[in-house]
């Protein structure tokens, strides 16, 4: 049976290549109507690059030795024409490739997590905020003097941890009652001024 027809269209300009198309016959298309294929194809002519090994064409008749018929100097690339029929074919194959959705019975209980109004990390943040409330100057001084009774030198970070006050508040108070050391032994540490020391 006839399966396809090749059409060669001469170009308007001689320098351009010939337009070659291949069309499948309706008889061939009706053989498997459930699996559609593209009926129109474009054959693009490609010249073989120089220096590549040429492919030969041989023919055999009955049990005779093969005879040389020629060489392949051009290759053709078969591409389907992008039309509605091609899109239907692609859609059909994509749908058949996807697995159908199925209902899967569960043999165990699935945990459902209820919404929580306040998470654990939010509670920790609230505790930290409550712990770092602004104290009066007298209360901060009491905490500082109690700390300096235990140790002579403190870093600003340690005093901030003890008093739970901001750096700006602490610095303002420490400038009145303390000295900032630049000595290599106790560099960047605070100690009480001489008038406040009793050790």
């Amino acid at each position: 049976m006839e399966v396809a027809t090749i059409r060669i269209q001469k170009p308007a300009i001689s320098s351009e290549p010939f337009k070659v198309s291949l069309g499948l016959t309706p008889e061939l298309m009706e053989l498997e109507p459930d699996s559609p294929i593209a009926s129109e194809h474009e054959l693009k002519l490609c010249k073989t690059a120089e220096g590549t090994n040429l492919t030969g064409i041989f023919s055999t008749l009955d049990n005779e030795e093969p005879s040389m018929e020629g060489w392949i100097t051009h290759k053709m690339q078969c591409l389907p024409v992008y039309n509605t029929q091609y899109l239907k074919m692609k859609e059909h194959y994509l749908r058949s490739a996807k697995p159908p959705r199925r209902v899967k019975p569960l043999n165990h209980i699935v945990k459902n997590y209820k919404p929580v109004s306040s998470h654990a990390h939010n509670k920790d943040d609230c505790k930290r905020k409550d712990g770092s409330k602004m104290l009066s100057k007298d209360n901060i001084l009491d905490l500082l003097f109690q700390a300096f009774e235990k140790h002579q030198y403190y870093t600003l970070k340690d005093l901030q941890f003890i008093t739970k006050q901001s750096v700006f508040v602490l610095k303002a108070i420490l400038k009145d009652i303390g000295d900032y050391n630049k000595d290599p032994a106790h560099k960047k540490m605070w100690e009480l001024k001489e008038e406040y020391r009793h050790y």
Side-chain angles (χ1 to χ4, degrees):
M1 63 181 288
E2 189 180 333
V3 293
T5 306
I6 290 179
R7 297 182 188 89
I8 301 171
Q9 187 180 347
K10 194 175 180 180
I13 303 166
S14 58
S15 59
E16 288 183 358
F18 284 85
K19 288 184 179 179
V20 185
S21 61
L22 181 137
L24 303 180
T25 58
E27 292 83 4
L28 183 70
M29 299 291 289
E30 287 170 5
L31 289 176
E32 290 189 22
D34 295 333
S35 56
I37 56 170
S39 62
E40 294 293 326
H41 296 78
E42 186 184 349
L43 299 174
K44 283 193 174 180
L45 207 63
C46 309
K47 279 188 178 181
T48 54
E50 289 183 8
T52 55
N53 294 327
L54 293 173
T55 307
I57 301 171
F58 296 87
S59 65
T60 55
L61 187 64
D62 297 332
N63 293 325
E64 293 179 6
E65 288 185 4
S67 59
M68 182 76 175
E69 296 290 339
W71 299 96
I72 294 174
T73 56
H74 294 77
K75 289 184 180 180
M76 280 191 168
Q77 192 178 8
C78 184
L79 300 169
V81 177
Y82 194 79
N83 53 17
T84 52
Q85 192 178 12
Y86 173 73
L87 290 172
K88 282 180 183 178
M89 181 196 74
K90 290 292 287 182
E91 188 181 357
H92 171 78
Y93 282 109
L94 285 171
R95 282 183 178 177
S96 60
K98 282 184 180 179
R101 291 185 179 184
R102 293 176 183 175
V103 178
K104 187 179 178 182
L106 296 172
N107 300 323
H108 58 279
I109 298 166
V110 179
K111 282 187 179 181
N112 289 325
Y113 294 96
K114 292 180 180 179
V116 180
S117 59
S118 182
H119 294 277
H121 61 269
N122 290 337
K123 288 177 182 177
D124 292 339
D125 289 341
C126 290
K127 283 180 183 178
R128 285 195 205 99
K129 286 176 184 176
D130 292 340
S132 61
K133 283 181 180 177
M134 184 68 182
L135 298 174
S136 65
K137 188 177 179 180
D138 293 333
N139 291 333
I140 296 167
L141 284 169
D142 290 338
L143 290 170
L144 289 171
F145 286 133
Q146 284 173 18
F148 279 109
E149 282 176 7
K150 295 175 184 176
H151 300 285
Q152 186 178 352
Y153 301 98
Y154 280 97
T155 60
L156 187 64
K157 193 175 180 181
D158 291 336
L159 292 172
Q160 191 184 0
F161 178 76
I162 293 164
T163 58
K164 292 181 174 58
Q165 299 301 303
S166 68
V167 176
F168 303 106
V169 174
L170 274 177
K171 273 189 177 179
I173 296 170
L174 285 167
K175 281 178 183 177
D176 295 334
I177 64 164
D179 289 327
Y180 186 69
N181 276 294
K182 294 180 181 178
D183 189 50
H186 304 286
K187 199 173 182 180
K188 295 182 181 180
M189 296 184 87
W190 289 86
E191 68 170 331
L192 289 175
K193 287 182 179 180
E194 287 185 10
E195 55 265 32
Y196 294 106
R197 296 175 194 165
H198 62 273
Y199 44 81

PDB file of all heavy atoms in Angstrom, residues 93-127:
ATOM      1  N   TYR A  93      -0.524  11.704  23.966  1.00  0.00           N
ATOM      2  CA  TYR A  93       0.596  10.977  24.565  1.00  0.00           C
ATOM      3  C   TYR A  93       0.917  11.473  25.976  1.00  0.00           C
ATOM      4  O   TYR A  93       1.328  10.696  26.837  1.00  0.00           O
ATOM      5  CB  TYR A  93       1.830  11.070  23.667  1.00  0.00           C
ATOM      6  CG  TYR A  93       1.743  10.136  22.485  1.00  0.00           C
ATOM      7  CD1 TYR A  93       1.558  10.615  21.196  1.00  0.00           C
ATOM      8  CD2 TYR A  93       1.805   8.753  22.667  1.00  0.00           C
ATOM      9  CE1 TYR A  93       1.456   9.765  20.111  1.00  0.00           C
ATOM     10  CE2 TYR A  93       1.701   7.891  21.584  1.00  0.00           C
ATOM     11  CZ  TYR A  93       1.534   8.399  20.311  1.00  0.00           C
ATOM     12  OH  TYR A  93       1.424   7.535  19.241  1.00  0.00           O
ATOM     13  N   LEU A  94       0.719  12.762  26.211  1.00  0.00           N
ATOM     14  CA  LEU A  94       0.960  13.293  27.556  1.00  0.00           C
ATOM     15  C   LEU A  94      -0.062  12.761  28.551  1.00  0.00           C
ATOM     16  O   LEU A  94       0.258  12.433  29.689  1.00  0.00           O
ATOM     17  CB  LEU A  94       0.924  14.830  27.534  1.00  0.00           C
ATOM     18  CG  LEU A  94       2.151  15.526  26.930  1.00  0.00           C
ATOM     19  CD1 LEU A  94       1.893  17.005  26.765  1.00  0.00           C
ATOM     20  CD2 LEU A  94       3.375  15.314  27.817  1.00  0.00           C
ATOM     21  N   ARG A  95      -1.310  12.658  28.098  1.00  0.00           N
ATOM     22  CA  ARG A  95      -2.366  12.126  28.982  1.00  0.00           C
ATOM     23  C   ARG A  95      -2.151  10.646  29.265  1.00  0.00           C
ATOM     24  O   ARG A  95      -2.394  10.177  30.376  1.00  0.00           O
ATOM     25  CB  ARG A  95      -3.738  12.346  28.347  1.00  0.00           C
ATOM     26  CG  ARG A  95      -4.229  13.775  28.487  1.00  0.00           C
ATOM     27  CD  ARG A  95      -5.619  13.937  27.914  1.00  0.00           C
ATOM     28  NE  ARG A  95      -6.121  15.289  28.096  1.00  0.00           N
ATOM     29  CZ  ARG A  95      -7.286  15.711  27.634  1.00  0.00           C
ATOM     30  NH1 ARG A  95      -8.064  14.888  26.949  1.00  0.00           N
ATOM     31  NH2 ARG A  95      -7.665  16.958  27.850  1.00  0.00           N
ATOM     32  N   SER A  96      -1.729   9.906  28.258  1.00  0.00           N
ATOM     33  CA  SER A  96      -1.502   8.469  28.457  1.00  0.00           C
ATOM     34  C   SER A  96      -0.274   8.207  29.328  1.00  0.00           C
ATOM     35  O   SER A  96      -0.181   7.189  30.003  1.00  0.00           O
ATOM     36  CB  SER A  96      -1.342   7.770  27.109  1.00  0.00           C
ATOM     37  OG  SER A  96      -0.238   8.316  26.397  1.00  0.00           O
ATOM     38  N   ALA A  97       0.675   9.151  29.312  1.00  0.00           N
ATOM     39  CA  ALA A  97       1.891   8.974  30.127  1.00  0.00           C
ATOM     40  C   ALA A  97       1.624   9.234  31.607  1.00  0.00           C
ATOM     41  O   ALA A  97       2.282   8.660  32.474  1.00  0.00           O
ATOM     42  CB  ALA A  97       2.985   9.913  29.628  1.00  0.00           C
ATOM     43  N   LYS A  98       0.655  10.114  31.916  1.00  0.00           N
ATOM     44  CA  LYS A  98       0.349  10.426  33.319  1.00  0.00           C
ATOM     45  C   LYS A  98      -0.385   9.257  33.971  1.00  0.00           C
ATOM     46  O   LYS A  98      -1.334   8.717  33.396  1.00  0.00           O
ATOM     47  CB  LYS A  98      -0.528  11.681  33.400  1.00  0.00           C
ATOM     48  CG  LYS A  98       0.255  12.973  33.203  1.00  0.00           C
ATOM     49  CD  LYS A  98      -0.655  14.157  33.385  1.00  0.00           C
ATOM     50  CE  LYS A  98       0.096  15.457  33.187  1.00  0.00           C
ATOM     51  NZ  LYS A  98      -0.793  16.637  33.336  1.00  0.00           N
ATOM     52  N   PRO A  99       0.025   8.847  35.163  1.00  0.00           N
ATOM     53  CA  PRO A  99      -0.695   7.761  35.838  1.00  0.00           C
ATOM     54  C   PRO A  99      -2.075   8.227  36.304  1.00  0.00           C
ATOM     55  O   PRO A  99      -2.229   9.367  36.734  1.00  0.00           O
ATOM     56  CB  PRO A  99       0.205   7.427  37.045  1.00  0.00           C
ATOM     57  CG  PRO A  99       1.004   8.668  37.279  1.00  0.00           C
ATOM     58  CD  PRO A  99       1.169   9.327  35.951  1.00  0.00           C
ATOM     59  N   PRO A 100      -3.078   7.381  36.198  1.00  0.00           N
ATOM     60  CA  PRO A 100      -4.423   7.804  36.630  1.00  0.00           C
ATOM     61  C   PRO A 100      -4.480   7.987  38.145  1.00  0.00           C
ATOM     62  O   PRO A 100      -3.778   7.306  38.897  1.00  0.00           O
ATOM     63  CB  PRO A 100      -5.320   6.636  36.179  1.00  0.00           C
ATOM     64  CG  PRO A 100      -4.399   5.462  36.102  1.00  0.00           C
ATOM     65  CD  PRO A 100      -3.058   5.992  35.724  1.00  0.00           C
ATOM     66  N   ARG A 101      -5.340   8.871  38.581  1.00  0.00           N
ATOM     67  CA  ARG A 101      -5.498   9.118  40.022  1.00  0.00           C
ATOM     68  C   ARG A 101      -6.283   7.973  40.661  1.00  0.00           C
ATOM     69  O   ARG A 101      -7.302   7.545  40.131  1.00  0.00           O
ATOM     70  CB  ARG A 101      -6.227  10.434  40.264  1.00  0.00           C
ATOM     71  CG  ARG A 101      -5.391  11.640  39.866  1.00  0.00           C
ATOM     72  CD  ARG A 101      -6.090  12.922  40.224  1.00  0.00           C
ATOM     73  NE  ARG A 101      -5.304  14.091  39.874  1.00  0.00           N
ATOM     74  CZ  ARG A 101      -5.658  15.341  40.153  1.00  0.00           C
ATOM     75  NH1 ARG A 101      -6.803  15.586  40.761  1.00  0.00           N
ATOM     76  NH2 ARG A 101      -4.879  16.355  39.805  1.00  0.00           N
ATOM     77  N   ARG A 102      -5.769   7.518  41.785  1.00  0.00           N
ATOM     78  CA  ARG A 102      -6.419   6.403  42.473  1.00  0.00           C
ATOM     79  C   ARG A 102      -6.649   6.742  43.936  1.00  0.00           C
ATOM     80  O   ARG A 102      -5.892   7.519  44.526  1.00  0.00           O
ATOM     81  CB  ARG A 102      -5.539   5.143  42.389  1.00  0.00           C
ATOM     82  CG  ARG A 102      -5.397   4.599  40.973  1.00  0.00           C
ATOM     83  CD  ARG A 102      -4.457   3.423  40.935  1.00  0.00           C
ATOM     84  NE  ARG A 102      -4.241   2.932  39.578  1.00  0.00           N
ATOM     85  CZ  ARG A 102      -3.390   1.965  39.275  1.00  0.00           C
ATOM     86  NH1 ARG A 102      -2.674   1.386  40.212  1.00  0.00           N
ATOM     87  NH2 ARG A 102      -3.257   1.577  38.016  1.00  0.00           N
ATOM     88  N   VAL A 103      -7.689   6.147  44.486  1.00  0.00           N
ATOM     89  CA  VAL A 103      -7.981   6.311  45.914  1.00  0.00           C
ATOM     90  C   VAL A 103      -7.169   5.275  46.681  1.00  0.00           C
ATOM     91  O   VAL A 103      -7.241   4.082  46.409  1.00  0.00           O
ATOM     92  CB  VAL A 103      -9.496   6.128  46.200  1.00  0.00           C
ATOM     93  CG1 VAL A 103      -9.773   6.246  47.687  1.00  0.00           C
ATOM     94  CG2 VAL A 103     -10.303   7.148  45.417  1.00  0.00           C
ATOM     95  N   LYS A 104      -6.384   5.768  47.653  1.00  0.00           N
ATOM     96  CA  LYS A 104      -5.517   4.881  48.427  1.00  0.00           C
ATOM     97  C   LYS A 104      -6.037   4.793  49.863  1.00  0.00           C
ATOM     98  O   LYS A 104      -6.082   5.803  50.573  1.00  0.00           O
ATOM     99  CB  LYS A 104      -4.080   5.420  48.415  1.00  0.00           C
ATOM    100  CG  LYS A 104      -3.067   4.481  49.042  1.00  0.00           C
ATOM    101  CD  LYS A 104      -1.672   5.085  48.953  1.00  0.00           C
ATOM    102  CE  LYS A 104      -0.664   4.157  49.630  1.00  0.00           C
ATOM    103  NZ  LYS A 104       0.701   4.751  49.608  1.00  0.00           N
ATOM    104  N   PRO A 105      -6.448   3.600  50.304  1.00  0.00           N
ATOM    105  CA  PRO A 105      -6.933   3.488  51.688  1.00  0.00           C
ATOM    106  C   PRO A 105      -5.775   3.582  52.687  1.00  0.00           C
ATOM    107  O   PRO A 105      -4.677   3.070  52.433  1.00  0.00           O
ATOM    108  CB  PRO A 105      -7.574   2.095  51.728  1.00  0.00           C
ATOM    109  CG  PRO A 105      -6.889   1.339  50.637  1.00  0.00           C
ATOM    110  CD  PRO A 105      -6.510   2.317  49.593  1.00  0.00           C
ATOM    111  N   LEU A 106      -6.024   4.244  53.825  1.00  0.00           N
ATOM    112  CA  LEU A 106      -5.007   4.405  54.866  1.00  0.00           C
ATOM    113  C   LEU A 106      -5.244   3.387  55.978  1.00  0.00           C
ATOM    114  O   LEU A 106      -6.369   3.231  56.463  1.00  0.00           O
ATOM    115  CB  LEU A 106      -5.056   5.827  55.436  1.00  0.00           C
ATOM    116  CG  LEU A 106      -4.720   6.947  54.445  1.00  0.00           C
ATOM    117  CD1 LEU A 106      -4.990   8.298  55.075  1.00  0.00           C
ATOM    118  CD2 LEU A 106      -3.278   6.866  53.999  1.00  0.00           C
ATOM    119  N   ASN A 107      -4.185   2.693  56.365  1.00  0.00           N
ATOM    120  CA  ASN A 107      -4.285   1.678  57.423  1.00  0.00           C
ATOM    121  C   ASN A 107      -3.938   2.224  58.802  1.00  0.00           C
ATOM    122  O   ASN A 107      -3.978   1.497  59.789  1.00  0.00           O
ATOM    123  CB  ASN A 107      -3.344   0.510  57.098  1.00  0.00           C
ATOM    124  CG  ASN A 107      -3.694  -0.143  55.771  1.00  0.00           C
ATOM    125  OD1 ASN A 107      -4.868  -0.269  55.430  1.00  0.00           O
ATOM    126  ND2 ASN A 107      -2.680  -0.532  55.006  1.00  0.00           N
ATOM    127  N   HIS A 108      -3.561   3.501  58.882  1.00  0.00           N
ATOM    128  CA  HIS A 108      -3.191   4.092  60.168  1.00  0.00           C
ATOM    129  C   HIS A 108      -3.861   5.453  60.311  1.00  0.00           C
ATOM    130  O   HIS A 108      -4.319   6.047  59.334  1.00  0.00           O
ATOM    131  CB  HIS A 108      -1.665   4.238  60.268  1.00  0.00           C
ATOM    132  CG  HIS A 108      -1.086   5.080  59.178  1.00  0.00           C
ATOM    133  ND1 HIS A 108      -0.832   4.580  57.916  1.00  0.00           N
ATOM    134  CD2 HIS A 108      -0.721   6.386  59.148  1.00  0.00           C
ATOM    135  CE1 HIS A 108      -0.340   5.534  57.153  1.00  0.00           C
ATOM    136  NE2 HIS A 108      -0.266   6.646  57.871  1.00  0.00           N
ATOM    137  N   ILE A 109      -3.893   5.925  61.539  1.00  0.00           N
ATOM    138  CA  ILE A 109      -4.520   7.212  61.825  1.00  0.00           C
ATOM    139  C   ILE A 109      -3.554   8.330  61.443  1.00  0.00           C
ATOM    140  O   ILE A 109      -2.384   8.296  61.800  1.00  0.00           O
ATOM    141  CB  ILE A 109      -4.904   7.320  63.325  1.00  0.00           C
ATOM    142  CG1 ILE A 109      -5.923   6.230  63.674  1.00  0.00           C
ATOM    143  CG2 ILE A 109      -5.448   8.704  63.659  1.00  0.00           C
ATOM    144  CD1 ILE A 109      -6.129   6.022  65.142  1.00  0.00           C
ATOM    145  N   VAL A 110      -4.092   9.308  60.732  1.00  0.00           N
ATOM    146  CA  VAL A 110      -3.288  10.457  60.336  1.00  0.00           C
ATOM    147  C   VAL A 110      -3.445  11.550  61.389  1.00  0.00           C
ATOM    148  O   VAL A 110      -4.555  11.895  61.780  1.00  0.00           O
ATOM    149  CB  VAL A 110      -3.726  10.991  58.950  1.00  0.00           C
ATOM    150  CG1 VAL A 110      -2.891  12.200  58.550  1.00  0.00           C
ATOM    151  CG2 VAL A 110      -3.610   9.893  57.907  1.00  0.00           C
ATOM    152  N   LYS A 111      -2.307  12.055  61.858  1.00  0.00           N
ATOM    153  CA  LYS A 111      -2.335  13.095  62.893  1.00  0.00           C
ATOM    154  C   LYS A 111      -2.763  14.420  62.289  1.00  0.00           C
ATOM    155  O   LYS A 111      -2.229  14.855  61.272  1.00  0.00           O
ATOM    156  CB  LYS A 111      -0.957  13.253  63.529  1.00  0.00           C
ATOM    157  CG  LYS A 111      -0.627  12.176  64.554  1.00  0.00           C
ATOM    158  CD  LYS A 111       0.680  12.501  65.245  1.00  0.00           C
ATOM    159  CE  LYS A 111       0.999  11.440  66.296  1.00  0.00           C
ATOM    160  NZ  LYS A 111       2.275  11.753  67.000  1.00  0.00           N
ATOM    161  N   ASN A 112      -3.730  15.042  62.917  1.00  0.00           N
ATOM    162  CA  ASN A 112      -4.166  16.373  62.508  1.00  0.00           C
ATOM    163  C   ASN A 112      -3.690  17.371  63.558  1.00  0.00           C
ATOM    164  O   ASN A 112      -4.016  17.232  64.744  1.00  0.00           O
ATOM    165  CB  ASN A 112      -5.690  16.440  62.386  1.00  0.00           C
ATOM    166  CG  ASN A 112      -6.183  15.672  61.183  1.00  0.00           C
ATOM    167  OD1 ASN A 112      -5.533  15.644  60.158  1.00  0.00           O
ATOM    168  ND2 ASN A 112      -7.351  15.034  61.317  1.00  0.00           N
ATOM    169  N   TYR A 113      -2.901  18.338  63.136  1.00  0.00           N
ATOM    170  CA  TYR A 113      -2.364  19.327  64.066  1.00  0.00           C
ATOM    171  C   TYR A 113      -3.305  20.527  64.128  1.00  0.00           C
ATOM    172  O   TYR A 113      -3.582  21.162  63.113  1.00  0.00           O
ATOM    173  CB  TYR A 113      -0.965  19.771  63.620  1.00  0.00           C
ATOM    174  CG  TYR A 113       0.046  18.649  63.696  1.00  0.00           C
ATOM    175  CD1 TYR A 113       0.349  17.887  62.569  1.00  0.00           C
ATOM    176  CD2 TYR A 113       0.676  18.345  64.891  1.00  0.00           C
ATOM    177  CE1 TYR A 113       1.268  16.854  62.631  1.00  0.00           C
ATOM    178  CE2 TYR A 113       1.593  17.310  64.969  1.00  0.00           C
ATOM    179  CZ  TYR A 113       1.891  16.573  63.843  1.00  0.00           C
ATOM    180  OH  TYR A 113       2.794  15.548  63.917  1.00  0.00           O
ATOM    181  N   LYS A 114      -3.782  20.798  65.343  1.00  0.00           N
ATOM    182  CA  LYS A 114      -4.690  21.936  65.531  1.00  0.00           C
ATOM    183  C   LYS A 114      -3.883  23.232  65.554  1.00  0.00           C
ATOM    184  O   LYS A 114      -2.736  23.244  65.986  1.00  0.00           O
ATOM    185  CB  LYS A 114      -5.456  21.769  66.840  1.00  0.00           C
ATOM    186  CG  LYS A 114      -6.434  20.603  66.813  1.00  0.00           C
ATOM    187  CD  LYS A 114      -7.167  20.493  68.118  1.00  0.00           C
ATOM    188  CE  LYS A 114      -8.154  19.310  68.106  1.00  0.00           C
ATOM    189  NZ  LYS A 114      -8.862  19.180  69.385  1.00  0.00           N
ATOM    190  N   PRO A 115      -4.497  24.323  65.109  1.00  0.00           N
ATOM    191  CA  PRO A 115      -3.774  25.603  65.143  1.00  0.00           C
ATOM    192  C   PRO A 115      -3.512  26.071  66.570  1.00  0.00           C
ATOM    193  O   PRO A 115      -4.352  25.905  67.462  1.00  0.00           O
ATOM    194  CB  PRO A 115      -4.715  26.565  64.407  1.00  0.00           C
ATOM    195  CG  PRO A 115      -6.061  25.928  64.480  1.00  0.00           C
ATOM    196  CD  PRO A 115      -5.838  24.449  64.517  1.00  0.00           C
ATOM    197  N   VAL A 116      -2.324  26.635  66.770  1.00  0.00           N
ATOM    198  CA  VAL A 116      -1.917  27.117  68.096  1.00  0.00           C
ATOM    199  C   VAL A 116      -1.864  28.632  68.059  1.00  0.00           C
ATOM    200  O   VAL A 116      -1.298  29.221  67.133  1.00  0.00           O
ATOM    201  CB  VAL A 116      -0.525  26.542  68.478  1.00  0.00           C
ATOM    202  CG1 VAL A 116      -0.096  27.023  69.852  1.00  0.00           C
ATOM    203  CG2 VAL A 116      -0.551  25.025  68.443  1.00  0.00           C
ATOM    204  N   SER A 117      -2.461  29.259  69.055  1.00  0.00           N
ATOM    205  CA  SER A 117      -2.501  30.723  69.084  1.00  0.00           C
ATOM    206  C   SER A 117      -1.151  31.324  69.430  1.00  0.00           C
ATOM    207  O   SER A 117      -0.758  32.364  68.915  1.00  0.00           O
ATOM    208  CB  SER A 117      -3.546  31.204  70.090  1.00  0.00           C
ATOM    209  OG  SER A 117      -3.227  30.702  71.384  1.00  0.00           O
ATOM    210  N   SER A 118      -0.398  30.642  70.317  1.00  0.00           N
ATOM    211  CA  SER A 118       0.913  31.159  70.711  1.00  0.00           C
ATOM    212  C   SER A 118       1.911  30.011  70.743  1.00  0.00           C
ATOM    213  O   SER A 118       1.737  29.047  71.488  1.00  0.00           O
ATOM    214  CB  SER A 118       0.832  31.827  72.085  1.00  0.00           C
ATOM    215  OG  SER A 118       2.074  32.370  72.433  1.00  0.00           O
ATOM    216  N   HIS A 119       2.940  30.111  69.917  1.00  0.00           N
ATOM    217  CA  HIS A 119       3.961  29.065  69.853  1.00  0.00           C
ATOM    218  C   HIS A 119       4.990  29.236  70.965  1.00  0.00           C
ATOM    219  O   HIS A 119       5.056  30.278  71.627  1.00  0.00           O
ATOM    220  CB  HIS A 119       4.661  29.114  68.491  1.00  0.00           C
ATOM    221  CG  HIS A 119       3.744  28.761  67.363  1.00  0.00           C
ATOM    222  ND1 HIS A 119       3.463  27.476  67.001  1.00  0.00           N
ATOM    223  CD2 HIS A 119       3.022  29.564  66.529  1.00  0.00           C
ATOM    224  CE1 HIS A 119       2.622  27.475  65.983  1.00  0.00           C
ATOM    225  NE2 HIS A 119       2.337  28.721  65.677  1.00  0.00           N
ATOM    226  N   ALA A 120       5.820  28.206  71.142  1.00  0.00           N
ATOM    227  CA  ALA A 120       6.790  28.183  72.237  1.00  0.00           C
ATOM    228  C   ALA A 120       7.810  29.309  72.105  1.00  0.00           C
ATOM    229  O   ALA A 120       8.160  29.967  73.093  1.00  0.00           O
ATOM    230  CB  ALA A 120       7.500  26.835  72.267  1.00  0.00           C
ATOM    231  N   HIS A 121       8.293  29.554  70.869  1.00  0.00           N
ATOM    232  CA  HIS A 121       9.310  30.611  70.701  1.00  0.00           C
ATOM    233  C   HIS A 121       8.729  31.997  70.959  1.00  0.00           C
ATOM    234  O   HIS A 121       9.434  32.900  71.401  1.00  0.00           O
ATOM    235  CB  HIS A 121       9.942  30.533  69.305  1.00  0.00           C
ATOM    236  CG  HIS A 121       8.990  30.722  68.185  1.00  0.00           C
ATOM    237  ND1 HIS A 121       8.321  29.670  67.587  1.00  0.00           N
ATOM    238  CD2 HIS A 121       8.580  31.845  67.548  1.00  0.00           C
ATOM    239  CE1 HIS A 121       7.552  30.133  66.622  1.00  0.00           C
ATOM    240  NE2 HIS A 121       7.677  31.440  66.581  1.00  0.00           N
ATOM    241  N   ASN A 122       7.406  32.163  70.694  1.00  0.00           N
ATOM    242  CA  ASN A 122       6.770  33.449  71.006  1.00  0.00           C
ATOM    243  C   ASN A 122       6.687  33.664  72.513  1.00  0.00           C
ATOM    244  O   ASN A 122       6.853  34.780  73.003  1.00  0.00           O
ATOM    245  CB  ASN A 122       5.365  33.514  70.408  1.00  0.00           C
ATOM    246  CG  ASN A 122       5.399  33.604  68.891  1.00  0.00           C
ATOM    247  OD1 ASN A 122       6.393  34.035  68.325  1.00  0.00           O
ATOM    248  ND2 ASN A 122       4.337  33.189  68.236  1.00  0.00           N
ATOM    249  N   LYS A 123       6.424  32.577  73.246  1.00  0.00           N
ATOM    250  CA  LYS A 123       6.356  32.673  74.709  1.00  0.00           C
ATOM    251  C   LYS A 123       7.713  33.041  75.295  1.00  0.00           C
ATOM    252  O   LYS A 123       7.806  33.826  76.240  1.00  0.00           O
ATOM    253  CB  LYS A 123       5.874  31.341  75.294  1.00  0.00           C
ATOM    254  CG  LYS A 123       4.396  31.067  75.028  1.00  0.00           C
ATOM    255  CD  LYS A 123       3.992  29.714  75.559  1.00  0.00           C
ATOM    256  CE  LYS A 123       2.523  29.430  75.240  1.00  0.00           C
ATOM    257  NZ  LYS A 123       2.127  28.071  75.679  1.00  0.00           N
ATOM    258  N   ASP A 124       8.792  32.444  74.703  1.00  0.00           N
ATOM    259  CA  ASP A 124      10.155  32.762  75.167  1.00  0.00           C
ATOM    260  C   ASP A 124      10.482  34.230  74.934  1.00  0.00           C
ATOM    261  O   ASP A 124      11.110  34.878  75.772  1.00  0.00           O
ATOM    262  CB  ASP A 124      11.181  31.887  74.447  1.00  0.00           C
ATOM    263  CG  ASP A 124      11.058  30.416  74.852  1.00  0.00           C
ATOM    264  OD1 ASP A 124      10.502  30.155  75.928  1.00  0.00           O
ATOM    265  OD2 ASP A 124      11.519  29.552  74.078  1.00  0.00           O
ATOM    266  N   ASP A 125      10.041  34.750  73.771  1.00  0.00           N
ATOM    267  CA  ASP A 125      10.279  36.165  73.470  1.00  0.00           C
ATOM    268  C   ASP A 125       9.566  37.074  74.452  1.00  0.00           C
ATOM    269  O   ASP A 125      10.106  38.094  74.888  1.00  0.00           O
ATOM    270  CB  ASP A 125       9.813  36.497  72.051  1.00  0.00           C
ATOM    271  CG  ASP A 125      10.720  35.873  70.995  1.00  0.00           C
ATOM    272  OD1 ASP A 125      11.867  35.521  71.358  1.00  0.00           O
ATOM    273  OD2 ASP A 125      10.282  35.720  69.847  1.00  0.00           O
ATOM    274  N   CYS A 126       8.341  36.680  74.828  1.00  0.00           N
ATOM    275  CA  CYS A 126       7.566  37.458  75.806  1.00  0.00           C
ATOM    276  C   CYS A 126       8.256  37.464  77.168  1.00  0.00           C
ATOM    277  O   CYS A 126       8.287  38.476  77.862  1.00  0.00           O
ATOM    278  CB  CYS A 126       6.144  36.895  75.938  1.00  0.00           C
ATOM    279  SG  CYS A 126       5.132  37.186  74.485  1.00  0.00           S
ATOM    280  N   LYS A 127       8.808  36.305  77.535  1.00  0.00           N
ATOM    281  CA  LYS A 127       9.520  36.213  78.821  1.00  0.00           C
ATOM    282  C   LYS A 127      10.749  37.117  78.826  1.00  0.00           C
ATOM    283  O   LYS A 127      11.046  37.781  79.821  1.00  0.00           O
ATOM    284  CB  LYS A 127       9.945  34.765  79.075  1.00  0.00           C
ATOM    285  CG  LYS A 127       8.806  33.870  79.551  1.00  0.00           C
ATOM    286  CD  LYS A 127       9.313  32.458  79.781  1.00  0.00           C
ATOM    287  CE  LYS A 127       8.157  31.531  80.195  1.00  0.00           C
ATOM    288  NZ  LYS A 127       8.637  30.139  80.364  1.00  0.00           N
TER     289      LYS A 127
END
